[in-house]
Amino acid sequence: MNSFYIILFLPFLFAIIVPFLFKYINKRIHTGWFVLFVPLTIFLYLLQYIPIVAKGDTREYILPWIPSLNINITTYIDGLGLLFGLLISGVGTLVILYSIYYLSKEREELHNFYIYLLMFMGAMLGLVFSDHILILYGFWELTSISSFLLIGYWFERKNSRYGALKSLLITVFGGLAMLAGFIMLILMAETYSIREMIANVGEITNHSLFITALVLVLLGAFTKSAQFPFSIWLPDAMEAPTPVSAYLHSATMVKAGIYLVARLTPIFAGSASWFWLVAGVGIVTLFYGSFNAIRQTDLKALLAFSTISQLGLVMSLLGIGSLAVYFGQSENGILFSAATFAAIFHLFNHSTFKGSLFMVVGIVDHETGTRDIRRLGGLMHVMPITFTIAVIGAFSMAGLPPFNGFLSKEMFFAGVNDVANAGVFGLEQFGLLFPIIAWVASVFTFVYCMILVFKTFTGKFRPEKLTRKVHEAPFGMLVSPIILGLIVVLVFFFPNVLGEYILIPALAAVLPMMQINASDFHISAWHGVNLELWMTIGVVVVGILLYKTLKGWVKLFNNYPYRLTLNHFYDQSLAGTEQFSQNVTNRYMTGSLRQYLVYIFAFFVLLLMGSFITLYGFQFDFSKFAPIELFDIAIVIGIVLAAFVVLFTSHRITAIVTLGAIGYFVSMFFVLFQAPDLGLTQFVVETVTTVLFLLCFYHLPKLKKNIGKISFKLTNLIISLAMGATVTILALAAFGHKVFEPISYFFEKSYELAGAKNIVNAILVDFRGFDTMLEISVLAIAGLGVYVLIRQGSRRREQSNETK
Amino acid sequence: MFKTVLFISLCLLALTILLNLYRVVKGPTSADRIQALDSVGINLIASIGIFSVLFHTRAFFDLMLLIGILSFIGTIAFARFIERSVVIERDN
C-alpha cells in the first residue's frame, strides 16, 4: 500500500482512537490538540506534490477493493485535486486549532465532534482524489452524512435537528440524482475511470443519454453547492457550531459541487445546455444570495447567504469557462479559459476570507453572547484584532484592493464582459444580461460586506444589551483567522506565486484539451484603466450610496411575502407530501381484511387476464380431454348445489354441514377417478375439519350469534366471478398445452425400484420423501401452535380471574 | 345386463341419500339430523361398494371400512354431546 493511502485514510483511522483520547486524557488536555496533527500531517505531506504537479506531472495510485467488479480505490493527483486537498487539510488544521479554543472541554461532547469532523475530512479528501467515479460517489455521500451529524451536533436543539434534516434531504436527493447520472456516464463510456471518460469523450457527447446524464449530475452538484433553488439548506445549516460552519459550509463541502463541475467540465463542456445551466444557475444564485444577505440580522445567516452568492459566482465563472472547450485552441478559447482560471482563483480566495469571517463571527458570538446585528455595535475598540481581520475578510469579499478578492472580482468582471461578446449559444440576445446581473449582485455584495463590518464594529457600544462582559478573544482563538487574513493580503501582493504553482496546474486539469501557456494567466493588480476597473469603481460608489441610505430602503424587504420564499415552499411541500402519503395510506390501508382480499384478487385477475389478452392465451385444445361419465355429472351437480347452499344459507350450521358434504363429494370424486389413498385421507380429514368447525361455531360469543345472511356487495360478486372465470380459463388453456411428456412412467416402476406395489405410497416415502418429512413438520408445528394458543389463553383467563 | 342393475341400484342409493339429506336440512330435532347423517354414511358405503364392482377394483374396501368407523364414531360423539353437552369429559 502506498504511503498516499495511509495519508488518505489517516482521518478515518484516527477517528477510531478519538473516543479513547476523550475518555482518558480530555480532563488534562483538550482532545483537539491530538486531532490537530492529522490535518497538519496531511497538509505537509501534500506539499511535496506541489513541485511534481507544477511541472505538469500527475500521480496515480491503485488500491484494489473489489477487483472482480473493477471497483478499486483509484486515486489521481493533479492540479485540481491538489488544490482542494491543500484547502481541505490547510483550512482543516486552522479550524481544528480554532475549535480547541472555541469548544469547551468541560461542557461539550468533544469525541462526537472530532469523530464527525475527521470523518468529514477523510470523506472530502477521498472525494477530491478519487478517479473511480463510484468511489467518488461513496465519499460524496459520506460528506453528506458527516455534515448531517455536524449540523445536528447540538441535537437537543430543535433548530439543529431541523437544519440537519433539511440539509440531508436536499443533498441526498441531489446525490442520488447524481448517482443515476454517473451510472449513465459509465454506460456511455464503458469505464469507471473519470480520466478514461475524458479520453473517450467523443462517445459520450454523441450518445442519446448525454443530456439526461448532464442534468442529473448537475443536480447533484447544485444541491451540494447550494445553488439556486437548492440553496435553502445552507442558512439553516448555520445551527452547527461555528468551526463547522467555517469549515464545511464555506471552505470545503459546499465546494464539492464546484469540484464536480470543474472535474467533469472536459466531459460535458462545449454544449449549450452545460453552459446555460452552469453559468445561468450560477449567476442567478449570485444575485439571489447577495440580494438576500442584506436583510439578514443574524451574522451567520448573512455569511451563509454570502457563501451562496460567492458559490454562484464561481459556478457562473466555470460555466463561462466551459466556452473555452467550445472554441478550442483559438484566441477566444484562451479568453474564456481565463474565466475558468478566475473561478479557481476565486475558489481559493473565498475559502480564505470566508473561513476567517466565520471565525470572526464565532469570536464575536463567543465573547458577546449574541450574533444579532441589532444588538451589536462599537466593538472596534474592545476587539481591535478581530476588527482588523473582519475588515480584511469583508473588504476582500467586497472586491476591494489590497486584498485578494479584488483580483478575482476583476477577473470575474472580465469574464462576464467577454461572455456578452461571445456570440454563440443564443448569447447574441441574452449575453448582456451577464454583466448587468453580475454588477448589480456585486453592489449588493459590497453593501452586505459593509453591514457586516460597520454594524458590528462601529457605532455605539451598548454593553447593557449584551449578557457577557466583552473583551478581546484569547490569542489561541485568533491565530487561525490571523493566518487566513495574512494569506488574503499576501495573495494580493504575490498572486503569481500561487498562480504558477497551484492555480495553473489546476486549470490544466479542468481544461486538459487546451495548451495552457503560463504567460497568458499572469495576474496583475493593475492592468490599466479598462471597463472592469470602471465597474469596480461603480460598485464602490453605488454601494456606499446604498449603504448610507440603508435605513430608508431595507424595510422594502419586509414587504416581500413569506409565502413566496423557497423556505415556505420547502416546508409546505414537506408537510404536503406527508399529508398526502398519510391520506393515501389511510385510504387503502383500511384495516379491513375483506378490503385487502379484494386488492389481492383484483390484482390476480388483472395480471392473469391481462397477460392472457396481451399474449393471446385463449387457445384451447379439447382433443386430449377424457369422455365425461354420468356419475361425474351427478357429483358435479351435487357440489354446485351444495356450494350455492353455502352461499345463500342464513344459518352457520347449515353452511358448516354443507361444507362437509362438499368435502365428501370430493372424496367421492377420488373414488370415481380411482385414487383410493386420497379418498381415504380426504374422508378422514373432512370429518375432522367439520368437527373443528362445529367446535368454533359452538364457542361463538352469544351477542353475534344471530348474524344473518351474507350481505350482498356488487364488488365482491364481480371479483369472485372474475376470479372463478380466470382460474377456469387458466386451467382449460393449460390442459391443452402439455409441452413435455409426463414423468409418471418413472414411478410406474415402483416395484422394481422401491419394492412397493402402492405407487402413491412409494412416491410419498421413497421417491419424494423430503416433501413428506416437511409436511410432517408442518403438522407438528400446527399441533404445537394450537397447544400453545390454548394454554396461553387459559393462563390469561386465570390471571384475569385472579385480578378480579 | 349386470351393469344396468348396478346402475339402477346406484340411482336408488343416490335418491336415498337425497331423501336423507332432506331430513338433515328439515329435521326438527338434532336427533333426526344425526340419524339421517348416519344413514347417509351407510348409503355411501353401499355406493362405494357398487363402484368397486363397476371398476373391478379392491382398492376402495379400506374406504368403506373407514366410513363405517367414522359414521359410528361421529354418531356416538353427537349422542354424547346431546346427552351431556360435552364430547370428551375432563378429569376431575
Side-chain angles (χ1 to χ4, degrees):
Chain A
M1 200 159 92
N2 192 283
S3 64
F4 181 73
Y5 282 101
I6 300 174
I7 288 296
L8 196 61
F9 293 122
L10 188 65
F12 296 115
L13 295 176
F14 202 77
I16 300 173
I17 310 172
V18 164
F20 299 103
L21 289 174
F22 176 75
K23 195 169 176 192
Y24 297 112
I25 308 185
N26 189 53
K27 283 192 188 105
R28 273 165 291 158
I29 307 171
H30 195 285
T31 312
W33 288 112
F34 299 99
V35 182
L36 183 64
F37 101 93
V38 176
L40 195 63
T41 316
I42 298 172
F43 184 74
L44 295 176
Y45 180 86
L46 288 177
L47 283 180
Q48 63 166 314
Y49 283 97
I50 290 182
I52 300 170
V53 170
K55 259 189 288 171
D57 284 349
T58 53
R59 286 283 184 274
E60 186 187 354
Y61 305 108
I62 295 176
L63 179 68
W65 183 28
I66 317 175
S68 58
L69 294 180
N70 246 334
I71 296 177
N72 301 311
I73 305 178
T74 8
T75 49
Y76 180 62
I77 306 168
D78 62 355
L80 188 66
L82 189 64
L83 167 68
F84 272 91
L86 288 172
L87 275 180
I88 293 159
S89 51
V91 181
T93 315
L94 297 177
V95 159
I96 288 176
L97 181 66
Y98 177 78
S99 73
I100 292 171
Y101 291 91
Y102 188 83
L103 294 173
S104 146
K105 71 177 174 185
E106 284 91 24
R107 288 193 305 273
E108 300 286 353
E109 303 281 329
L110 287 176
H111 52 319
N112 291 350
F113 182 79
Y114 286 113
I115 287 173
Y116 301 159
L117 203 66
L118 284 172
M119 227 167 88
F120 170 78
M121 192 181 290
M124 203 63 208
L125 282 171
L127 171 67
V128 297
F129 285 120
S130 285
D131 183 48
H132 193 288
I133 200 158
L134 289 180
I135 301 289
L136 191 151
Y137 171 74
F139 283 120
W140 181 280
E141 290 300 10
L142 200 54
T143 62
S144 294
I145 292 167
S146 46
S147 161
F148 167 77
L149 290 169
L150 282 167
I151 297 170
Y153 174 65
W154 287 309
F155 54 82
E156 65 279 0
R157 298 185 190 169
K158 189 164 174 265
N159 283 345
S160 294
R161 298 195 301 267
Y162 173 79
L165 183 66
K166 196 176 191 178
S167 77
L168 188 75
L169 283 178
I170 293 177
T171 52
V172 167
F173 158 73
L176 286 175
M178 193 183 78
L179 176 63
F182 281 177
I183 291 170
M184 287 179 193
L185 270 180
I186 293 167
L187 290 177
M188 287 190 279
E190 290 171 354
T191 172
Y192 291 112
S193 156
I194 297 173
R195 272 175 320 125
E196 283 171 29
M197 284 178 192
I198 294 171
N200 313 344
V201 72
E203 283 171 36
I204 299 176
T205 15
N206 297 325
H207 203 280
S208 55
L209 283 176
F210 177 73
I211 294 287
T212 326
L214 187 154
V215 171
L216 287 173
V217 167
L218 277 185
L219 211 54
F222 287 168
T223 48
K224 198 73 161 186
S225 281
Q227 298 295 301
F228 187 85
F230 306 110
S231 48
I232 48 172
W233 65 268
L234 191 62
D236 283 302
M238 291 302 129
E239 293 298 328
T242 303
V244 172
S245 310
Y247 189 39
L248 273 71
H249 307 127
S250 70
T252 53
M253 187 180 91
V254 287
K255 299 215 166 79
I258 304 271
Y259 169 80
L260 192 76
V261 169
R263 181 55 89 197
L264 299 182
T265 292
I267 298 177
F268 289 117
S271 68
S273 31
W274 177 264
F275 168 77
W276 274 110
L277 275 172
V278 177
V281 169
I283 203 107
V284 169
T285 313
L286 166 65
F287 179 77
Y288 166 82
S290 58
F291 182 74
N292 273 299
I294 293 175
R295 61 186 230 169
Q296 304 303 323
T297 51
D298 178 8
L299 284 174
K300 266 177 100 175
L302 188 149
L303 285 180
F305 275 106
S306 96
T307 302
I308 293 172
S309 136
Q310 303 279 312
L311 289 170
L313 190 156
V314 176
M315 197 63 98
S316 67
L317 275 173
L318 280 177
I320 294 167
S322 78
L323 285 176
V325 181
Y326 177 82
F327 284 113
Q329 194 68 36
S330 65
E331 202 172 311
N332 264 337
I334 293 164
L335 199 65
F336 286 112
S337 48
T340 307
F341 185 72
I344 297 165
F345 190 31
H346 194 73
L347 173 94
F348 176 84
N349 292 345
H350 178 249
S351 296
T352 55
F353 65 70
K354 191 52 69 66
S356 74
L357 280 177
F358 265 109
M359 291 176 187
V360 163
V361 168
I363 289 170
V364 169
D365 186 14
H366 202 265
E367 302 308 327
T368 64
T370 180
R371 301 192 307 247
D372 195 327
I373 293 176
R374 289 165 297 190
R375 290 164 65 188
L376 292 168
L379 294 178
M380 190 164 74
H381 302 293
V382 195
M383 309 166 94
I385 304 174
T386 319
F387 170 67
T388 316
I389 304 163
V391 167
I392 292 172
F395 280 22
S396 175
M397 183 154 75
L400 299 177
F403 308 109
N404 59 8
F406 173 71
L407 303 175
S408 42
K409 192 59 87 62
E410 293 277 282
M411 290 160 80
F412 170 61
F413 282 147
V416 290
N417 288 340
D418 291 338
V419 88
N421 305 322
V424 287
F425 298 154
L427 283 170
E428 301 88 346
Q429 294 95 32
F430 304 109
L432 208 58
L433 280 177
F434 277 91
I436 293 172
I437 298 177
W439 187 80
V440 174
S442 298
V443 173
F444 283 130
T445 307
F446 184 87
V447 174
Y448 72 68
C449 289
M450 296 307 117
I451 293 175
L452 176 69
V453 176
F454 293 114
K455 295 267 175 192
T456 317
F457 290 99
T458 59
K460 237 182 102 192
F461 183 50
R462 291 165 295 179
E464 72 280 358
K465 284 203 172 183
L466 303 173
T467 46
R468 297 181 198 167
K469 193 166 157 15
V470 185
H471 51 79
E472 182 61 280
F475 181 66
M477 214 184 231
L478 287 167
V479 171
S480 304
I482 287 175
I483 293 173
L484 286 173
L486 277 178
I487 295 174
V488 168
V489 180
L490 281 177
V491 167
F492 176 79
F493 287 108
F494 308 103
N496 290 311
V497 181
L498 180 80
E500 194 181 327
Y501 281 100
I502 294 175
L503 299 183
I504 289 182
L507 178 66
V510 180
L511 301 171
M513 63 293 285
M514 306 286 294
Q515 299 285 325
I516 302 296
N517 192 352
S519 61
D520 290 333
F521 303 102
H522 189 79
I523 312 165
S524 57
W526 177 257
H527 34 74
V529 181
N530 54 12
L531 185 59
E532 287 87 58
L533 188 69
W534 285 116
M535 281 170 88
T536 307
I537 292 170
V539 165
V540 174
V541 172
V542 178
I544 289 173
L545 279 177
L546 280 178
Y547 177 69
K548 287 288 172 201
T549 54
L550 190 65
K551 276 207 177 102
W553 56 273
V554 83
K555 289 179 199 120
L556 291 176
F557 277 107
N558 299 336
N559 296 332
Y560 186 73
Y562 178 73
R563 294 164 57 80
L564 289 179
T565 57
L566 290 170
N567 265 326
H568 179 73
F569 176 72
Y570 166 83
D571 290 336
Q572 285 299 305
S573 61
L574 212 59
T577 338
E578 231 166 73
Q579 189 61 43
F580 175 74
S581 343
Q582 197 172 12
N583 287 348
V584 169
T585 311
N586 285 346
R587 194 143 191 88
Y588 74 90
M589 297 295 285
T590 49
S592 143
L593 283 180
R594 185 172 293 171
Q595 197 77 38
Y596 301 157
L597 285 177
V598 166
Y599 302 148
I600 293 170
F601 288 138
F603 187 71
F604 184 89
V605 168
L606 284 179
L607 203 66
L608 278 177
M609 289 310 266
S611 45
F612 253 99
I613 291 164
T614 49
L615 303 174
Y616 305 106
F618 299 102
Q619 289 165 3
F620 305 109
D621 176 12
F622 295 106
S623 62
K624 288 178 192 160
F625 283 16
I628 299 169
E629 304 272 344
L630 190 67
F631 310 124
D632 305 342
I633 297 173
I635 295 180
V636 166
I637 290 173
I639 290 186
V640 169
L641 283 178
F644 271 103
V645 172
V646 173
L647 276 183
F648 293 108
T649 182
S650 51
H651 296 288
R652 273 221 175 77
I653 194 137
T654 321
I656 293 169
V657 171
T658 329
L659 269 180
I662 294 178
Y664 292 143
F665 276 129
V666 171
S667 155
M668 286 307 284
F669 255 132
F670 288 144
V671 172
L672 272 183
F673 293 149
Q674 315 213 12
D677 296 298
L678 284 181
L680 213 68
T681 323
Q682 169 73 14
F683 219 98
V684 181
V685 170
E686 198 54 46
T687 313
V688 173
T689 334
T690 312
V691 169
L692 286 178
F693 268 128
L694 286 170
L695 196 72
C696 296
F697 168 76
Y698 179 72
H699 285 289
L700 276 182
K702 285 212 170 67
L703 258 180
K704 296 187 177 174
K705 240 178 195 174
N706 40 12
I707 288 176
K709 265 196 204 168
I710 301 171
S711 57
F712 177 77
K713 285 200 182 68
L714 189 64
T715 336
N716 293 1
L717 180 73
I718 294 170
I719 293 274
S720 55
L721 286 180
M723 189 74 190
T726 310
V727 174
T728 312
I729 289 172
L730 187 68
L732 286 177
F735 188 83
H737 292 272
K738 270 185 188 156
V739 186
F740 300 109
E741 287 300 305
I743 55 161
S744 51
Y745 74 92
F746 177 77
F747 301 114
E748 276 164 17
K749 294 192 283 182
S750 65
Y751 189 66
E752 294 163 38
L753 292 170
K757 283 182 183 165
N758 186 331
I759 182 175
V760 176
N761 287 353
I763 292 172
L764 282 180
V765 300
D766 204 311
F767 298 121
R768 297 275 175 94
F770 260 119
D771 301 355
T772 314
M773 189 181 78
L774 293 177
E775 268 158 35
I776 290 170
S777 32
V778 168
L779 278 180
I781 291 166
L784 282 174
V786 168
Y787 174 74
V788 170
L789 283 176
I790 291 172
R791 273 301 289 265
Q792 285 206 330
S794 58
R795 210 174 281 164
R796 208 165 292 154
R797 235 171 288 137
E798 276 165 27
Q799 278 171 359
S800 61
N801 285 342
E802 275 168 24
T803 49
K804 273 173 196 169
Chain B
M1 179 62 200
F2 186 57
K3 272 202 169 175
T4 328
V5 172
L6 290 178
F7 187 73
I8 291 168
S9 34
L10 263 182
C11 289
L12 287 175
L13 280 170
L15 188 69
T16 327
I17 290 174
L18 274 179
L19 291 173
N20 273 317
L21 284 179
Y22 175 78
R23 189 45 52 207
V24 171
V25 175
K26 272 285 157 193
T29 66
S30 298
D32 293 312
R33 294 198 171 97
I34 293 160
Q35 272 288 342
L37 278 174
D38 195 44
S39 129
V40 167
I42 289 159
N43 282 306
L44 276 177
I45 295 176
S47 42
I48 291 172
I50 293 171
F51 273 127
S52 302
V53 178
L54 263 176
F55 294 150
H56 294 287
T57 174
R58 281 185 227 163
F60 296 105
F61 291 0
D62 298 342
L63 185 57
M64 289 156 65
L65 288 174
L66 182 86
I67 297 175
I69 294 168
L70 278 180
S71 68
F72 170 69
I73 294 175
T75 314
I76 295 286
F78 262 113
R80 272 178 79 94
F81 180 73
I82 291 168
E83 199 175 277
R84 309 188 186 172
S85 78
V86 287
V87 178
I88 300 166
E89 287 172 18
R90 291 181 184 222
D91 304 329
N92 291 320

